[in-house]
Structure formats: C-alpha cells, structure tokens
C-alpha cells in the first residue's frame, strides 16, 4: 500500500552509516575485570535528515555547545536498540528513540542527537 506522503525508500538511503554498541570484553584487564568496549555492530544504508538545532550556552569557561537532532531513516531491523549509536562521517549520533511508522515493518525512523 503506497501512502501519499511516502517517498520511495531506496532513494532516501544514500548514506553508509555504522551502527555501534557497547559489549563486555572477552579478555580480562590487569585488574582481572572484563571491561566494556565499543564494537561495530553492522553497517547499513540510511538517510540522515537534520531536524532541529540549538545552542547551549552559559557553560563553564564560557563554552558553547551545539545540540542538533537528526532523523536517521533505514530499512526495518528489529535488533536496533536505544543503547546503540550511529557513526557517519566521523560524527556520533546518539539514539533518542526509535519509531516504526505505520507499524508496517518497512522502515525505521530513528531520532538521534549530536552534541558538538
């Protein structure tokens, strides 16, 4: 069923993104513990769409941070979770929430935040 507001999904997926997650290491460190480490989970084609942006000022030492939100659109995948993040062009996109529009398991719209 084609919805009027939908674009062809394949034309939106024009960026190759990496999906990362944190896992417990299989090797003990010098303290005898299994540390957490970041690991590449998979790569996928996605659309990276800017949504909003704001400046966070009044920080220590007169620094200003930029808070920008993006929507990442990708084919439906049930194993993407909110504790993961995306890397694209050297920028980390932290997942805020994941939405399956129309609940038809065709695509995911993943709303992310970038702190610069």
């Amino acid at each position: 069923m084609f919805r009027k507001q939908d674009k062809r999904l394949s034309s939106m997926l024009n960026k190759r993104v990496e999906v990362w997650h944190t896992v417990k290491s299989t090797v003990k460190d010098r303290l005898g513990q299994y540390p957490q480490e970041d690991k590449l989970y998979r790569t996928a084609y996605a659309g990276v769409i800017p949504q909003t942006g704001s400046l966070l000022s009044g920080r220590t030492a007169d620094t200003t941070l930029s808070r920008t939100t993006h929507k990442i659109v990708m084919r439906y995948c049930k194993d993407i979770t909110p504790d993961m993040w995306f890397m694209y062009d050297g920028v980390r996109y932290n997942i805020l929430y994941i939405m399956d529009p129309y609940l038809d398991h065709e695509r995911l719209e993943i709303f992310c935040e970038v702190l610069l």
Side-chain angles (χ1 to χ4, degrees):
M1 179 178 184
F2 184 73
R3 293 175 186 83
K4 192 173 187 179
Q5 67 269 25
D6 285 349
K7 293 183 191 178
R8 299 294 305 166
L9 184 59
S10 60
S11 67
M12 295 176 65
L13 309 180
N14 58 359
K15 309 282 192 266
R16 186 111 170 128
V17 299
E18 297 176 340
V19 182
W20 287 77
H21 66 145
T22 303
V23 295
K24 186 181 276 190
S25 176
T26 58
V27 179
K28 288 184 179 181
D29 62 7
R30 62 186 179 142
L31 298 174
Q33 299 177 345
Y34 295 98
Q36 300 286 324
E37 60 185 19
D38 298 338
K39 185 176 179 185
L40 178 64
Y41 183 68
R42 66 182 284 189
T43 59
Y45 282 99
V48 180
I49 305 162
Q51 297 293 301
T52 61
S54 62
L55 292 176
L56 306 172
S57 57
R59 314 296 267 184
T60 307
D62 291 327
T63 58
T64 302
L65 294 176
S66 170
R67 179 179 180 196
T68 309
T69 57
H70 288 73
K71 178 170 63 172
I72 295 181
V73 179
M74 63 185 293
R75 294 190 192 283
Y76 181 80
C77 176
K78 65 181 179 182
D79 54 350
I80 302 294
T81 59
D83 61 333
M84 295 178 172
W85 66 92
F86 293 95
M87 291 294 294
Y88 173 69
D89 201 22
V91 177
R92 180 176 167 151
Y93 296 82
N94 295 319
I95 296 176
L96 297 174
Y97 60 93
I98 302 168
M99 186 170 69
D100 177 9
Y102 312 110
L103 301 173
D104 59 3
H105 302 316
E106 177 185 315
R107 69 177 180 203
L108 290 177
E109 292 185 358
I110 304 166
F111 292 85
C112 300
E113 175 182 62
V114 176
L115 288 174
L116 298 174

